[in-house]
Amino acid sequence: MAEKRINTDGGRMRTYPFREIEPKWQQYWEEQGLFRMDPDSSKPKFYCLMMFPYPSAELHVGHGRNYILGDVLARYKMMRGYNVLAPMGWDAFGLPAENAAIERGIHPAKSTWENIGRIKGQLHRWGTCYDWTREVTSCTPEYYRWTQWLFLKFYERDLAYKKMAEVNWCPSCATVLANEQVIDGACERCSEEVTTRQLEQWFFKITEYAEEMLNMDTVKNWPDRVKIMQSNWIGRSTGTTINFVMEDTGKLVPCFTTRPDTIFGATYMVLAPEHPLVEETTKGTEIEDEMRRFVERVRKINRFERASAQLEKEGLFTGKYVINPVNKERIPLWVANYAVMEYGSGAVMAVPTHDQRDFEFAKKYELPLRIVIQKPDGSLSLDTMEEAYVDEGVLVNSEQFDGMPNPEAIEKITDWMEQEGIGHRDVNYRLRDWLISRQRYWGAPIPIVYCDKCGTVPVPEDDLPVFLPEEVDFRPTGESPLARCKEFVETTCPTCNGAARRETDTMDTFVDSSWYYFRYLSPQDDEQVFDTDLVNEWLPVNQYVGGVEHAILHLLYSRFFTKVLRDIGLVDFDEPFESLFTQGMICKDGAKMSKSKGNVVPPDPLIERYGTDTVRLYTLFVGPPERDAEWNDRAVEGCYRFLNRAWRTVMDVVDRSEEADTVDEMNEKEREIHRVVHWTIKRVTDDIEDNFHFNTAIAALMELLNTLSAALSGNEIRPAVLNQAASTLVILLSPFSPHMCEELWRYLGHEESTLKEPWPEHDPEAVVSEETVIVVQVNGKVRSRFTAPVDTPQEELQRLALDDERVKSYTEGKTVRNVFVVPGRLVNIVV
Ligand code: ANZ
Ligand code: ZN
């Protein structure tokens, strides 16, 4: 209902009364269910997904960026006529809640639910709207039952398996970690340096999908940076596996190389300390004890350090030799700290002249060197070599391959080896299987039972969920809390009914978050993990918004899950997220905003002081959303002033609107306003569509306000035209600062929510801009002129200038070194 303005100060309210307005509209949106996805609608669908938060104590303005960006998009898409699905939930299992339980004695369930309540309030106060009827919370049995069910599906397909392995151990979190959770050798959660342990653990076979996950053609709308990070993480290497032969036993020792062209330069071989041949070749020999000590020492060094180029090379001779299959040469077999067991075969043919690590090692232990790739100028010599030569060159000392350029030799030598049966083309990945078991309490229990008679037995589907017991002892003793909980551990075998023990590890919380976006379609369903038909209708997610810190972890795991679910027949698409937007971080005092740095800005005091529309607007205006930005409390004030000015200006228009009449023909001044209005529609729309350029969209709205308020100072513009301009301003501003706009929209005489108003289209005729003359210089001299619209982008001007016939006669046959463009005026080409 369009209520009449209440005059509180005898005339009009000069400042935007956000304290009354904001809660009112928040309640209205909720009550009207404006953000509820309509399952019966025939409108086109738009799934707008924001990464669901971990319910930590409180969100700061840096977190807000993610939700506010997503909220603007959801509102915009609704106005564009989409049936929008914008759900929210909680990534509610995890270590911080458990650590709080240990430190402060608060049960993780209690602190988690309290935090959820608090954060929900914060999201509400930001004016972000979600379809709360679809809320999912990963720590509830209703949810983790299906996480466990998915584990069983993986297990059935041999995609979940248990093995003894060298694993990452975080001493402070007292649990193992997946490789993805080790960032520069430190724990992703707590930054503690990670150590290595030999443990039996559960893995998901993500490597089975390594090759498919490298194909990112179907995820075109992802930032290149994320795609590159994923493909580097998967790390595909093509090369050759060459079979060397143990001199004394004739046993084959395969080794993987990307440089088969250097095979004639292999002067020794190294084994990883974990390689089974190490014990085999030294057992019972005089080197046995020393070798055992060496191996033990190296195994303690964490694997990230071992893989680093800075590692001080160390090794020990086994006393044995291997035969190089191409020339039957006998070369010594060493064990070295820089060889790792998890890559290739764990054995490396060492070519010290062309591999830096081998070079350092050979120099240290005085092993022989032989140049096999000569520099094009022939200047490479062993006497003067100070580092390995790793660039291209021509083969020497390589028998029938001498004189061949080495890229060609890679192919030719491999062909020849394949013919001779001494080697074959091979592919290796850096990606390792995903370690999913955790020795922690606050996670989904792995649904497995161990029976002395039947071995490892999966819990039958009908017995799910395996409940996480509430009464547990959190005291840190080095053993996981579940392992100490007798009532949990002791069970009966589902197969033979005899006494059995439950698996006491829980799943990595990244398992929970790998599938939550499917569950939003049928969050209360207790019959099935999700509704396949609905999921196939709504997914892939049209737009995913979240932090780039998940570039590998969550996003890689979710892609893997989707592919497995597709192979199980539960979904019919290959990729979960069609478009991805990764927002930059909010910094304060030059550092990423975070509790540990003590530089967090809580949103509530700012909302209290300026209103949430201002906080939202500033969050969006602070800079290009994909980049990091420095938060400045004082700059918030600027956005506050803008909104107040918008409020007053629109109110002034409202005052005059009483006399509004239809305008048949616009005068010149009115046409100018009309032009600015339509320009603004175009700019704001293009900026939103073009990858979230909300900051420049807001700048355009600020210009429109200037135009409008200037127009108000005179009398040439008739009220109807002013009203049109003000209405457009309010509608275009509404996704950014929705509360104030909802209020103004009523004052402007409308009864429905701005969310129901179709997004305006610009009139192409109104925005035809003037043309201007562009001068083209070549090396500073004017050579040509052409006309172009004033707003032609730089790249376009550059192209037009280079294609100009007269310009071409000056640039023909020359190299263009540089092109300078002064938009709207000049292009200077340097040749
Ligand atoms: C001989 C050689 C000569 C190599 C040369 C390089 C340069 P990427 O590109 O990462 O796939 N390598 C193979 N297995 C290894 C292991 N388990 N531990 C440590 N190093 C290993 O690297 C492949 C190269 O890494 C292989 O090619 C091998 O060294 C080494 F001039 O073989 B190369
Ligand atoms: Zn049994």
Side-chain angles (χ1 to χ4, degrees):
M1 244 248 326
E3 52 186 298
K4 264 282 155 202
R5 194 155 27 100
I6 310 149
N7 292 342
T8 51
D9 54 359
R12 64 170 67 100
M13 290 181 280
R14 299 301 301 174
T15 51
Y16 156 50
F18 60 84
R19 285 198 186 86
E20 291 114 72
I21 288 178
E22 292 182 344
K24 178 175 85 182
W25 292 114
Q26 283 163 8
Q27 200 187 341
Y28 173 85
W29 296 322
E30 201 56 51
E31 278 169 11
Q32 299 278 311
L34 287 173
F35 277 79
R36 232 163 282 154
M37 179 268 261
D38 176 3
D40 305 318
S41 162
S42 58
K43 290 179 180 173
K45 300 178 173 54
F46 192 87
Y47 190 170
C48 180
L49 182 69
M50 271 112 326
M51 287 185 183
F52 71 162
Y54 177 78
S56 59
E58 215 145 84
L59 301 178
H60 56 64
V61 293
H63 299 123
R65 197 180 205 190
N66 176 248
Y67 306 108
I68 294 166
L69 285 170
D71 189 63
V72 173
L73 185 71
R75 289 172 182 274
Y76 169 76
K77 288 289 175 184
M78 286 172 75
M79 295 169 81
R80 288 237 85 147
Y82 286 90
N83 183 17
V84 171
L85 170 61
M88 189 41 71
W90 312 99
D91 191 8
F93 271 139
L95 271 179
E98 188 169 346
N99 289 342
I102 296 168
E103 280 160 31
R104 292 183 271 127
I106 308 164
H107 195 282
K110 185 165 184 287
S111 58
T112 300
W113 285 109
E114 279 171 9
N115 291 343
I116 287 175
R118 204 172 308 126
I119 296 178
K120 222 183 207 174
Q122 286 189 299
L123 289 175
H124 194 69
R125 283 192 293 284
W126 263 316
T128 55
C129 288
Y130 305 102
D131 184 347
W132 285 112
T133 62
R134 299 179 174 277
E135 181 176 7
V136 302
T137 309
S138 65
C139 67
T140 58
E142 294 76 34
Y143 185 91
Y144 71 66
R145 165 184 180 186
W146 298 110
T147 307
Q148 293 172 337
W149 184 87
L150 287 167
F151 175 94
L152 294 177
K153 292 292 135 188
F154 280 50
Y155 184 77
E156 267 169 31
R157 304 199 129 226
D158 284 332
L159 290 169
Y161 67 94
K162 202 174 189 189
K163 75 167 177 198
M164 192 63 148
E166 196 99 326
V167 296
N168 312 306
W169 177 265
C170 172
S172 120
C173 294
T175 184
V176 300
L177 299 172
N179 284 355
E180 289 80 10
Q181 288 153 7
V182 181
I183 314 291
D184 297 329
C187 171
E188 180 246 348
R189 278 268 175 224
C190 73
S191 302
E192 175 91 6
E193 194 179 313
V194 167
T195 60
T196 303
R197 280 198 182 182
Q198 187 77 15
L199 282 174
E200 197 174 26
Q201 294 291 304
W202 285 97
F203 291 84
F204 278 167
K205 217 183 262 172
I206 192 170
T207 52
E208 190 137 322
Y209 289 84
E211 188 62 40
E212 198 196 332
M213 289 206 293
L214 277 173
N215 177 359
M216 284 179 269
D217 292 349
T218 48
V219 290
K220 281 201 190 65
N221 290 322
W222 278 35
D224 285 339
R225 154 167 93 130
V226 174
K227 291 202 240 181
I228 292 166
M229 282 166 83
Q230 289 214 354
S231 91
N232 288 344
W233 184 260
I234 297 168
R236 184 184 206 267
S237 241
T238 54
T240 310
T241 291
I242 304 175
N243 293 317
F244 285 68
V245 186
M246 286 298 301
E247 181 192 42
D248 50 1
T249 62
K251 193 169 179 165
L252 295 185
V253 190
C255 69
F256 176 73
T257 178
T258 47
R259 295 291 306 276
D261 54 322
T262 63
I263 179 72
F264 291 91
T267 51
Y268 64 100
M269 173 178 281
V270 293
L271 298 174
E274 299 83 353
H275 198 290
L277 266 183
V278 175
E279 210 194 299
E280 219 174 294
T281 53
T282 55
K283 205 175 170 78
T285 70
E286 59 209 41
I287 194 87
E288 183 176 5
D289 288 341
E290 197 183 343
M291 186 61 84
R292 189 173 312 116
R293 282 195 300 275
F294 173 71
V295 168
E296 265 167 31
R297 188 159 55 79
V298 174
R299 287 178 88 149
K300 286 212 190 83
I301 309 173
N302 93 37
R303 31 226 276 241
F304 303 93
E305 213 170 299
R306 266 176 67 186
S308 112
Q310 277 77 47
L311 178 82
E312 166 69 26
K313 311 290 173 295
E314 274 190 277
L316 201 59
F317 180 42
T318 60
K320 298 283 163 47
Y321 291 83
V322 291
I323 307 294
N324 182 341
V326 298
N327 56 7
K328 307 290 180 261
E329 193 176 353
R330 171 179 187 265
I331 58 175
L333 180 66
W334 284 64
V335 179
N337 61 348
Y338 67 92
V340 296
M341 195 55 218
E342 295 100 9
Y343 195 72
S345 66
V348 188
M349 70 177 223
V351 185
T353 41
H354 306 295
D355 180 284
Q356 186 57 25
R357 296 168 307 171
D358 299 341
F359 184 85
E360 289 166 26
F361 191 84
K363 285 285 172 192
K364 179 164 177 179
Y365 294 105
E366 297 175 341
L367 290 159
L369 285 79
R370 180 188 307 136
I371 291 172
V372 288
I373 310 290
Q374 183 51 264
K375 276 190 188 174
D377 65 1
S379 64
L380 205 60
S381 136
L382 283 181
D383 304 331
T384 54
M385 228 175 164
E386 277 171 7
E387 55 179 17
Y389 178 70
V390 298
D391 295 330
E392 288 189 2
V394 169
L395 267 70
V396 292
N397 299 321
S398 301
E399 300 183 7
Q400 69 266 42
F401 300 98
D402 280 355
M404 197 180 276
N406 76 307
E408 185 186 338
I410 290 180
E411 300 308 319
K412 290 283 157 58
I413 290 181
T414 308
D415 288 344
W416 173 69
M417 285 185 185
E418 287 187 335
Q419 269 163 31
E420 300 285 314
I422 52 186
H424 59 91
R425 287 187 164 75
D426 210 350
V427 177
N428 260 287
Y429 301 91
R430 211 177 82 92
L431 182 71
R432 298 276 76 98
D433 279 341
W434 173 14
L435 198 176
I436 59 131
S437 45
R438 298 287 177 276
Q439 291 68 53
R440 300 299 303 234
Y441 165 71
W442 195 231
I446 294 176
I448 290 285
V449 162
Y450 301 105
C451 166
D452 285 342
K453 253 179 39 215
C454 314
T456 304
V457 184
V459 173
E461 279 177 32
D462 291 340
D463 293 352
L464 296 182
V466 174
F467 282 103
L468 187 65
E470 269 192 36
E471 301 285 318
V472 290
D473 174 8
F474 291 112
R475 277 170 308 155
T477 62
E479 202 184 4
S480 102
L482 283 184
R484 278 179 273 143
C485 178
K486 242 176 94 185
E487 306 79 76
F488 178 81
V489 176
E490 289 174 4
T491 184
T492 51
C493 169
T495 311
C496 72
N497 262 319
R501 296 172 58 81
R502 282 196 193 283
E503 168 65 65
T504 58
D505 284 353
T506 54
M507 282 185 253
D508 181 4
T509 52
F510 281 102
V511 178
D512 310 331
S513 56
S514 294
W515 71 280
Y516 75 103
Y517 45 91
F518 299 123
R519 186 71 182 168
Y520 280 140
L521 272 311
S522 54
Q524 277 105 29
D525 194 337
D526 56 11
E527 301 281 311
Q528 54 184 350
V529 60
F530 52 78
D531 183 322
T532 290
D533 290 341
L534 278 176
V535 164
N536 285 340
E537 257 177 61
W538 278 89
L539 277 91
V541 167
N542 299 92
Q543 183 65 59
Y544 201 13
V545 185
V548 76
E549 67 274 18
H550 293 296
I552 294 172
L553 292 152
H554 164 61
L555 292 168
L556 192 73
Y557 296 149
S558 297
R559 295 182 63 216
F560 162 58
F561 255 65
T562 301
K563 290 173 197 305
V564 174
L565 294 175
R566 175 203 58 198
D567 290 347
I568 295 176
L570 285 171
V571 305
D572 67 3
F573 45 89
D574 304 320
E575 293 284 345
F577 316 122
E578 189 178 85
S579 296
L580 170 70
F581 183 82
T582 51
Q583 83 273 7
M585 272 171 321
I586 295 286
C587 304
K588 183 84 204 297
D589 312 321
K592 178 194 169 190
M593 197 173 279
S594 84
K595 214 167 148 190
S596 59
K597 299 225 172 60
N599 61 351
V600 297
V601 176
D604 291 308
L606 287 168
I607 291 176
E608 189 53 38
R609 179 144 177 222
Y610 299 111
T612 202
D613 277 343
T614 295
V615 174
R616 288 173 62 112
L617 197 72
Y618 177 68
T619 305
L620 298 162
F621 191 55
V622 69
E626 71 282 6
R627 296 224 208 113
D628 292 355
E630 173 77 18
W631 184 273
N632 180 342
D633 277 352
R634 264 186 323 192
V636 177
E637 181 95 33
C639 286
Y640 181 64
R641 279 199 303 271
F642 164 71
L643 285 185
N644 273 293
R645 213 152 67 81
W647 171 267
R648 284 196 302 272
T649 306
V650 176
M651 284 303 196
D652 285 344
V653 173
V654 168
D655 279 349
R656 293 200 202 174
S657 294
E658 317 239 307
E659 324 140 27
D661 214 345
T662 45
V663 172
D664 290 333
E665 188 147 351
M666 286 186 272
N667 62 38
E668 203 183 315
K669 282 259 160 75
E670 287 170 345
R671 270 206 303 280
E672 179 53 22
I673 292 263
H674 184 69
R675 198 183 77 79
V676 175
V677 165
H678 283 266
W679 244 117
T680 312
I681 296 175
K682 182 168 163 27
R683 279 179 63 187
V684 172
T685 311
D686 290 353
D687 283 345
I688 295 179
E689 294 282 345
D690 179 21
N691 229 359
F692 295 77
H693 285 145
F694 298 150
N695 57 321
T696 47
I698 293 167
L701 291 170
M702 292 176 168
E703 287 172 34
L704 176 59
L705 177 64
N706 287 341
T707 307
L708 181 60
S709 78
L712 270 168
S713 62
N715 272 328
E716 294 105 321
I717 318 269
R718 280 167 287 175
V721 176
L722 289 173
N723 189 297
Q724 187 55 41
S727 298
T728 309
L729 173 68
V730 167
I731 282 300
L732 295 179
L733 184 61
S734 69
F736 306 99
S737 293
H739 310 77
M740 187 181 97
C741 292
E742 212 49 292
E743 184 80 10
L744 288 174
W745 194 236
R746 301 306 189 283
Y747 279 115
L748 284 163
H750 304 272
E751 300 197 352
E752 287 275 22
S753 167
T754 50
L755 287 165
K756 297 230 165 140
E757 180 67 14
W759 189 256
E761 298 279 349
H762 76 271
D763 169 5
E765 265 171 42
V767 301
V768 177
S769 60
E770 300 146 46
E771 301 233 307
T772 181
V773 176
I774 307 285
V775 172
V776 188
Q777 300 181 332
V778 179
N779 288 348
K781 292 209 178 69
V782 177
R783 297 299 188 190
S784 183
R785 286 187 171 80
F786 62 88
T787 55
V790 272
D791 53 310
T792 310
Q794 293 207 16
E795 309 81 67
E796 180 65 10
L797 287 178
Q798 176 167 339
R799 196 186 60 77
L800 289 169
L802 289 171
D803 283 354
D804 184 284
E805 286 306 320
R806 264 166 300 170
V807 170
K808 271 191 182 158
S809 66
Y810 291 96
T811 55
E812 211 121 316
K814 306 200 173 106
T815 335
V816 174
R817 296 229 173 274
N818 219 333
V819 183
F820 299 102
V821 181
V822 182
R825 291 189 30 213
L826 170 131
V827 180
N828 184 20
I829 300 166
V830 183
V831 294

